[in-house]
């Protein structure tokens, strides 16, 4: 259970998202309340069409809600200018996408360091931070390679390093293991779990995969635009995985908590 004195990184109140014209509206989110505290590792799960990707896009400033507030880094992102939003993305948010998004014309070292270079950080400091993160993610021997020379797992771990390099307040991960085989997915999740446990990252991950979700500390189940339940780890990962599977099995078309 989170301590009420913990720092709030994201606070969502009555989040509503509608698509389409008034008479043909699709209600994607129907009043979401969610608080993410510093050093949380949260997984958002739900069936296709449940609203989990819409929620991630709004929290990460890619999309805007129809109603409600989203406080991120002490600012209501629904009310600030595009210029302020760009600065917020650059300084406070890290992204890990399913398809890596590495630049083919740069080697891995330059890909990882790119956010720092955009921020005007001195080259020596860029190199130091890049090497430190690369070592944590098992990439030290691959820094001079280009993306086409790397495996999917190595590219995704490189993308995770790039997301972390600026020390953002929160990492948003969108199906980060979706394009990986089971071994590469496990290696990435172990790395994310370790940096979270070391206090280096607050993580919010969207996933359809119970195995991936079991690496989080809390899992929120979405269905039909609302949060159906929250599962908290409390024990070993395997036991948590079994509980997530039980919820999926018992849902009968809906996610239900027993």
């Amino acid at each position: 259970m989170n301590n009420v004195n913990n720092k709030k990184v994201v606070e969502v109140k009555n989040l509503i998202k509608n698509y389409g014209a008034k008479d043909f509206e699709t209600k994607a989110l129907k009043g979401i309340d969610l608080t993410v505290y510093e050093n949380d590792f949260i997984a958002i799960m739900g069936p296709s069409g449940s609203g989990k990707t819409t929620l991630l896009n709004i929290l990460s400033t890619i999309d805007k809600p129809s109603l409600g507030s989203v406080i991120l880094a002490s600012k209501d992102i629904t009310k600030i200018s595009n210029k302020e939003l760009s600065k917020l993305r650059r300084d406070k948010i890290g992204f890990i996408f399913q398809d890596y998004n590495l630049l083919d014309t740069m080697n891995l070292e330059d890909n990882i360091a790119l956010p720092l270079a955009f921020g005007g950080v001195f080259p020596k400091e860029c190199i130091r931070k890049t090497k430190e993160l690369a070592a944590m993610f098992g990439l030290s021997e691959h820094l001079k390679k280009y993306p086409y020379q790397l495996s999917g797992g190595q590219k995704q771990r490189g993308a995770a390093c790039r997301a972390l390099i600026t020390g953002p307040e929160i990492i948003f991960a969108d199906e980060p293991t979706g394009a990986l085989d089971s071994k590469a997915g496990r290696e990435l999740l172990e790395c994310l779990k370790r940096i979270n446990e070391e206090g280096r990252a607050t993580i919010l991950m969207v996933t359809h995969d119970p195995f991936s979700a079991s690496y989080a500390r809390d899992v929120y189940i979405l269905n039909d635009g609302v949060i159906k339940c929250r599962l908290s780890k409390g024990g070993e990962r395997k036991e948590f995985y079994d509980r997530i599977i039980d919820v999926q099995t018992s849902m009968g078309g809906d996610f239900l908590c027993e």
Side-chain angles (χ1 to χ4, degrees):
M1 184 66 66
N2 285 307
N3 186 314
V4 293
N5 295 319
N6 281 357
K7 177 184 175 184
K8 293 177 182 179
V9 178
V10 179
E11 187 173 17
V12 176
K13 293 183 179 179
N14 192 34
L15 194 66
I16 293 171
K17 181 64 177 180
N18 301 324
Y19 292 104
K22 189 171 183 180
D23 293 335
F24 302 95
E25 272 187 347
T26 299
K27 297 183 183 298
L29 298 175
K30 302 175 182 177
I32 299 290
D33 294 314
L34 176 67
T35 302
V36 181
Y37 293 91
E38 189 173 47
N39 209 42
D40 272 354
F41 188 166
I42 289 172
I44 306 289
M45 293 189 72
S48 179
S50 62
K52 60 185 186 296
T53 300
T54 300
L55 177 61
L56 179 74
N57 287 344
I58 291 173
L59 297 187
S60 61
T61 76
I62 293 170
D63 199 0
K64 292 188 176 183
S66 302
L67 287 170
S69 64
V70 181
I71 311 299
L72 196 160
S74 302
K75 294 185 177 182
D76 187 341
I77 63 174
T78 67
K79 295 179 179 177
I80 62 177
S81 67
N82 287 335
K83 184 177 180 180
E84 288 177 292
L85 269 180
S86 295
K87 187 175 188 303
L88 195 71
R89 289 189 196 107
R90 186 187 71 219
D91 298 341
K92 304 294 185 181
I93 296 174
F95 295 94
I96 306 174
F97 300 100
Q98 183 174 326
D99 57 356
Y100 324 129
N101 282 7
L102 297 180
L103 297 174
D104 293 332
T105 55
M106 291 184 172
N107 64 27
L108 183 60
E109 183 174 33
D110 289 340
N111 263 289
I112 293 171
L114 191 60
L116 291 182
F118 279 143
V121 176
F122 288 116
K124 190 176 289 187
E125 182 67 3
C126 290
I127 292 169
R128 184 190 70 77
K129 287 191 171 185
T130 298
K131 287 184 174 178
E132 179 188 10
L133 276 173
M136 292 182 65
F137 280 77
L139 294 170
S140 296
E141 297 176 4
H142 304 289
L143 286 173
K144 298 303 180 183
K145 294 180 181 178
Y146 286 81
Y148 73 89
Q149 298 173 304
L150 301 170
S151 69
Q154 289 163 350
K155 284 189 278 191
Q156 192 61 304
R157 280 180 278 139
C161 290
R162 183 185 57 192
L164 286 157
I165 195 80
T166 58
E169 293 212 1
I170 189 165
I171 299 289
F172 291 108
D174 187 6
E175 299 279 8
T177 62
L180 304 179
D181 61 37
S182 58
K183 180 177 181 292
R186 189 179 300 112
E187 288 172 347
L188 173 68
L189 291 163
E190 289 288 351
C191 288
L192 293 177
K193 178 172 173 281
R194 186 170 72 251
I195 61 158
N196 173 257
E197 289 175 344
E198 291 176 359
R200 289 172 174 253
T202 302
I203 302 170
L204 188 144
M205 172 176 67
V206 162
T207 182
H208 69 282
D209 176 29
F211 181 80
S212 296
S214 70
Y215 278 82
R217 297 184 185 193
D218 296 283
V219 176
Y220 288 84
I221 309 290
L222 259 66
N223 197 25
D224 196 27
V226 298
I227 294 175
K228 291 291 186 179
C229 66
R230 168 186 168 183
L231 304 173
S232 295
K233 185 175 282 182
E236 294 297 317
R237 190 192 62 77
K238 177 63 168 65
E239 183 271 336
F240 194 32
Y241 170 77
D242 290 339
R243 280 198 286 135
I244 297 168
I245 290 290
D246 286 344
V247 170
Q248 275 199 319
T249 303
S250 69
M251 70 185 196
D254 287 311
F255 281 88
L256 301 172
C257 276
E258 296 179 348

